[in-house]
Amino acid sequence: MPEFKLISTPPLAGYDQTFGATRLHAPADLAIVSLAFPLGDENAALAAVKSAYGTDMPEPGRSVVAKDGARLVRLGSDQGFVIFTHATPDAERAVAKQLNGAAYTTDQTDVWTGLELAGPGSRAALERICPIDLHPDAFAIGHAARTVMEHLGTLIIRTDDHAFLLLSASSSAQSFLHAVETSLSNTT
Amino acid sequence: MIINHPLLGPRDAAEFIYLGDAALIDRPDWQAEDAMQQFHDYAYLRDNPAGPHQELWYHEQGDRSWLVVTRDTTTHDITDVQLARDVARSRGRDK
Amino acid sequence: MTQTNRISGGQIDRARSISFTFNGKRMTGHPGDTLASALLANGQRLVGRSFKYHRPRGIFTAGSEEPNALVQLRSGAHQEPNTRATTVELFDGLSATSQNHRGPLEFDLMAATDLLSPFLSAGFYYKTFMWPRAFWEKLYEPVIRASAGLGRLSMQDDPDSYDKGFLHCDLLVIGAGPSGLMAALTAARSGARVILADEDFALGGRLNAETLAVDDMAGADWAAQVVAELAAMDNVRLMPRTTVYGAYDHGTYGALERCTDHLADAGGKPRQVLWRIYSKRAVLAAGSTERPIAFGNNDRPGVMLAGAVRAYANRFGTTPGQQVAVFTNNDDGWRTAADLAAKGVSIPAVIDSRDAPAPIDIPGIRHIRNAAVMDTVGRKGLKSITLTDGQVIEADTLAVSGGWNPNVHLTCHQRGRPEWRDDLNAFVPGANLPVGMAVAGAANGALTLAAALAEGQATATAQIEALGFTPTKTDTPRAEDEPSTSQAFWHVGESRKRAWLDLQNDVTVKDVKLSYREGFRSVEHLKRYTTLGMATDQGKTANIPGLAIMAECTGKTIPETGTTIFRPPYTPIPMGALAGRSRGTDFRPYRLTPSHNWAKENGATFVEVGNWLRAQWFARSGEKGWRDSVDREVEMTRNSVGICDVTTLGKIDVQGRDAAEFLNKVYANGFAKLPVGKVRYGLMLREDGIAYDDGTTARLSDNHFVMTTTTANAVLVFRRLEFARQCLWPNMDVHLISTTDGWAQFAVAGPNARNLLRKVVDDGHDMSNEAFPFMACGEVTVCGGMPARLFRISFSGELAYEVAVPARYGNSMMDVLMQAGKEFNAVPYGTEALGVMRIEKGHAAGNELNGQTSAHNLGMGRMVSQKKECIGNVLSQRPEMIRDDAVKLVGFRPVNRSDKVVAGSHFINRDDTANMDNDQGWMTSVAYSPSLGHSIGLGFIKRGDERMGEVVRAVNPLQGSEIEVEIVSAHFIDPEGERLRA
């Protein structure tokens, strides 16, 4: 038995608040692994993604949910994220194994902190910090965008009619939470 | 300003970092006979047109792509936006 | 006071009363009132004193163009100066005070200034206060400062909150008057996403202020009906109380929404929101602003714009007075007479500058043709007017109309210039509009109702068709075009008394003529010389008459004279709204290291490094100052082992078949042949050959590297690498992603570092010096299977490692390392001890990599490979960059060991005079070295590497210090590197 044991303390762990009928919470065990498609072998990488997740890698700015619940997000022509629930610190290995070396993988789990915003007040709150047009005609379910909110780089994904997943850098998690909380309390 | 990103659509210029003249793509051959002179010109000399200008913008708060934006410096009218990587390839840049 | 001036009608809610105070006097009004309409209803005519001459002034307009009625609103910390009473929506408990007087408003002690007016003409500052020179600071400026300015700040922190936001639409409609409502309705019915914004709290614009009918109903009722239809539509956002204040590039507009200003208590919500509106198209339907005619003593309380008088009567059920005379140069002024007469207000006369029959038939009206008002009487309120033929007419109110100016402001925010229309005697928008903008209604010169409605509809139709929408058929509402001819008549030349143009800045016709005589004839010079058109109203009522008078002087036309450039904002924006949330600790985001909580619990003092908060030192009880703590941290680390959170260093994951070759191009030294499992120090140059950044890069596998950068340059290096990858070598298979926040990384340094880590790193990883030597790296597991990365690198010069675990385990890892280190007396150390140890070891950092120094200066010239293509190597070989007598980085120690070396000191040879000609270099970094027991420094000095042992002077005239220092190796500690290889 090792003498010492490490305890996981993600920055926003356990955060869960409601503002009117809108809920803001930090999803537990959110794992993120980035994919980069090798130059010249993009098709092989995309095929590997399809066979691993049963769904095509979407176009840039879009995401899809695979059969196993993992969300595939395409961030650019040669880069994407796999976002899934995974408690142990081996998310990268799990994805790499499924893709069998067809894409370069990097663990991004601890690079980011996640907040889920769900409820009728979501969009009005986000209008205060998000420069992206979140009207459902312009930003439908599954749409994803990297942008800047309150000086913080943020990845926003629409997961439902009134639900968004927001990812921002974990080191500035407290400032990020404050930005979203303030937006909610200002609009609720 | 709004920059119409070729992959992601219109985005606020606040998401981007401005670098300057897209001539910076045309990095000289380090082994050329007059490499020193060419690199001097590359590092220090820029056109500064009042009018259409091809310039480099970096989508830092976005997909991290470098873009070549053709912008009229007198009106901010943007007439063309391309991925800098495509431009670099079309100008014959390789490894 | 009672509401003596209330008359019938209006859109106020007479069933409810609102109590408010003005200068402490209790008054009542009704919901729907502005502060101005309520003051007028209560018979309060004198509302303030003018800026320069402290002249008594009253309410002049009924809108945001108001130059006179500026009041201080609310009290205490909530007090806001220079609030326009004409736009303040009345709320229960409102308190307002008048501005710019000493003593009571009625008996301003500063009013004597008015008697000095012959000495205070335009430009008097420049002329009067030139001499004696010494008087400026001691006498003139304090006196001027005390007497200048309008309202007063509370001098307390603003207790209100503000916010910002982003909105998107297909069509932004600016202004909700007849043309704006028609534009919004047309677009909304067609399915376009519409934002309709208006500065007023009641949408409808002039329809609310006029008695004109639309579709056979009162204009205000028609407006309410349209607003109700729009409000029920999902694709429409109605924004009353919202001023679109600026037109920016590519359809972006700035708007200020006043969310809670009309409430007694904001309820904790933001007072105002500053919106950035992204529109695909816009219709500017901003209406028009009436202008006055200048004549003698035309600034008395009771002299008002005719359209405003009509607005108070029709919309607010208030007459500004009991005897309302009208002075006009156009048909529109007549409607004021007609509307007030219809409500039973006495109209002593309508004075028309034109020799023409009455455009509107008003029974029993006294019409004085081809005449003008020359002077007025009544110091604190109008009593009578004197016409040019000398006849005196008693009146307590004079409604003046000099015609209407289309509100072209936003059309000019992208350098567009307005064009003059002779038929309107006004500027209208020019052809060069901001991208996506079209103009409709009065703002476009369609000054009559039927024309405005039709133009609003047609303009919106064209705008949304261009976006691909098919307009739904909408009938144009029935309305008539009211008579609207006008005459170019700007001021009454017969007037002997001062004729005011700019009421806010006390600029008279005479001042404009003086400006002309003294050569300030361009409009921009006129503005600066006379202050015409400055301050909160930006001359909305004053500019055109001022230009007309300058045009008369110069003999040019008004369009030849031109306008000053219109810039945002259209009306003032509070500083609080511009700041938004960015106040106090929220001024900018902050970043925390993974072990932040541990550090906080263990006595750390934090320092801001960029956005990061880093532990600077960990004080222990009994330590008297930071030096005690830092010295101890250094000593304990060098004697046994210390631990430091170094997560803030930038980490970039570099992968790809060409990753090694790519690194070889971006670093000046070689990386292509770095073996797997090894780390190498790398130096990056700028293309001009100057050193840019440094760090270590580890090769984890053939195609996988981890680069570290300095904390400060993490973002910049990433940007440069992406540039190299995408723009310079676009066909390399190389991929970059930042992992800075993903790994909690700790330096474990000191002779016991290995012993400590052996307790944490899982069995099976050979930690021996042979198996894991200096500059080794590898993926390991710690604490029973936790994936970790181990690097044997040293910034301190000790036997040292950096160990990284997933960031969420970082706080726990710090705790574990300290527990495991207990038996070795392990110490946490902060950035100060880190800095001391790197100076002792002679490592360059930010002070040395300052953007002016080359690899040659840093003593790393030979690292710059000339055998490969890499950024900066060509220009690094320019003769000037590699000259023999270049400054070199070396160490310095005081000859007298008790002397303290000072950063920024310049080196002067022993026998030379201390001046820049004899400058030998400069000291970059200094520290007290606990290991050596004296002060040490790093610095650049000419040929430093050849001058070991020489003594020079370190001179710092700014701090008044000069000491003798000896040139030594930069490696104060362990120059042979035995410790770090142990």
Side-chain angles (χ1 to χ4, degrees), chain C residues 424-481:
Chain C
L424 300 179
N425 293 309
F427 281 105
V428 295
N432 188 13
L433 296 174
V435 173
M437 180 192 280
V439 194
N444 200 36
L447 293 172
T448 55
L449 181 55
L453 290 164
E455 199 170 283
Q457 183 174 15
T459 308
T461 300
Q463 288 285 60
I464 60 168
E465 276 178 347
L467 295 176
F469 290 91
T470 309
T472 311
K473 192 174 159 17
T474 298
D475 290 332
T476 308
R478 285 182 309 282
E480 285 184 15
D481 281 323

Side-chain angles (χ1 to χ4, degrees), chain A residues 51-87:
Chain A
S51 84
Y53 292 96
T55 177
D56 277 319
M57 192 74 195
E59 292 301 300
R62 302 285 186 271
S63 72
V64 291
V65 179
K67 276 179 301 190
D68 65 355
R71 183 178 289 275
L72 306 178
V73 191
R74 184 80 169 269
L75 299 166
S77 50
D78 63 353
Q79 196 181 75
F81 277 0
V82 185
I83 304 176
F84 56 115
T85 304
H86 190 83

Side-chain angles (χ1 to χ4, degrees), chain C residues 703-719:
Chain C
N703 295 340
H704 189 188
F705 294 77
V706 176
M707 173 188 286
T708 67
T709 72
T710 60
T711 301
N713 283 340
V715 171
L716 303 177
V717 168
F718 193 94
R719 190 185 298 163

Side-chain angles (χ1 to χ4, degrees), chain C residues 288-496:
Chain C
S288 56
T289 301
E290 200 169 13
R291 62 200 180 207
I293 300 168
F295 53 87
N297 284 317
N298 61 335
D299 66 329
R300 300 202 191 283
V303 179
M304 299 172 69
L305 290 175
V309 170
R310 203 156 75 231
Y312 288 116
N314 291 331
R315 175 174 167 186
F316 299 104
T318 295
T319 179
Q322 303 304 324
Q323 296 168 291
V324 180
V326 174
F327 175 29
T328 184
N329 66 7
N330 64 83
D331 297 348
D332 197 71
W334 281 83
R335 290 196 296 117
T336 300
D339 287 359
L340 270 79
K343 284 174 177 280
V345 178
S346 161
I347 309 292
V350 176
I351 301 111
D352 196 322
S353 64
R354 303 170 298 177
D355 190 8
I360 300 174
D361 188 34
I362 306 169
I365 198 75
R366 184 179 171 202
H367 175 194
I368 306 175
R369 293 158 71 129
N370 196 16
V373 178
M374 187 175 76
D375 196 7
T376 68
V377 174
R379 174 118 185 110
K380 286 168 197 163
L382 187 70
K383 288 180 181 148
S384 68
I385 56 175
T386 309
L387 307 192
T388 41
D389 63 5
Q391 70 172 304
V392 173
I393 298 171
E394 275 188 28
D396 61 7
T397 303
L398 178 65
V400 181
S401 182
W404 293 77
N405 291 324
N407 288 328
V408 301
H409 305 66
L410 267 68
T411 68
C412 301
H413 285 179
Q414 300 288 311
R415 300 290 288 190
R417 303 309 300 252
E419 287 167 8
W420 183 257
R421 257 178 71 179
D422 273 328
D423 60 328
L424 300 179
N425 293 309
F427 281 105
V428 295
N432 188 13
L433 296 174
V435 173
M437 180 192 280
V439 194
N444 200 36
L447 293 172
T448 55
L449 181 55
L453 290 164
E455 199 170 283
Q457 183 174 15
T459 308
T461 300
Q463 288 285 60
I464 60 168
E465 276 178 347
L467 295 176
F469 290 91
T470 309
T472 311
K473 192 174 159 17
T474 298
D475 290 332
T476 308
R478 285 182 309 282
E480 285 184 15
D481 281 323
E482 61 275 25
S484 67
T485 61
S486 69
Q487 183 189 33
F489 180 79
W490 309 103
H491 71 113
V492 180
E494 293 88 340
S495 296
R496 300 246 155 62

Side-chain angles (χ1 to χ4, degrees), chain C residues 651-663:
Chain C
K651 306 179 201 74
I652 302 169
D653 211 46
V654 185
Q655 295 196 64
R657 297 185 304 272
D658 298 315
E661 188 49 36
F662 178 75
L663 292 170

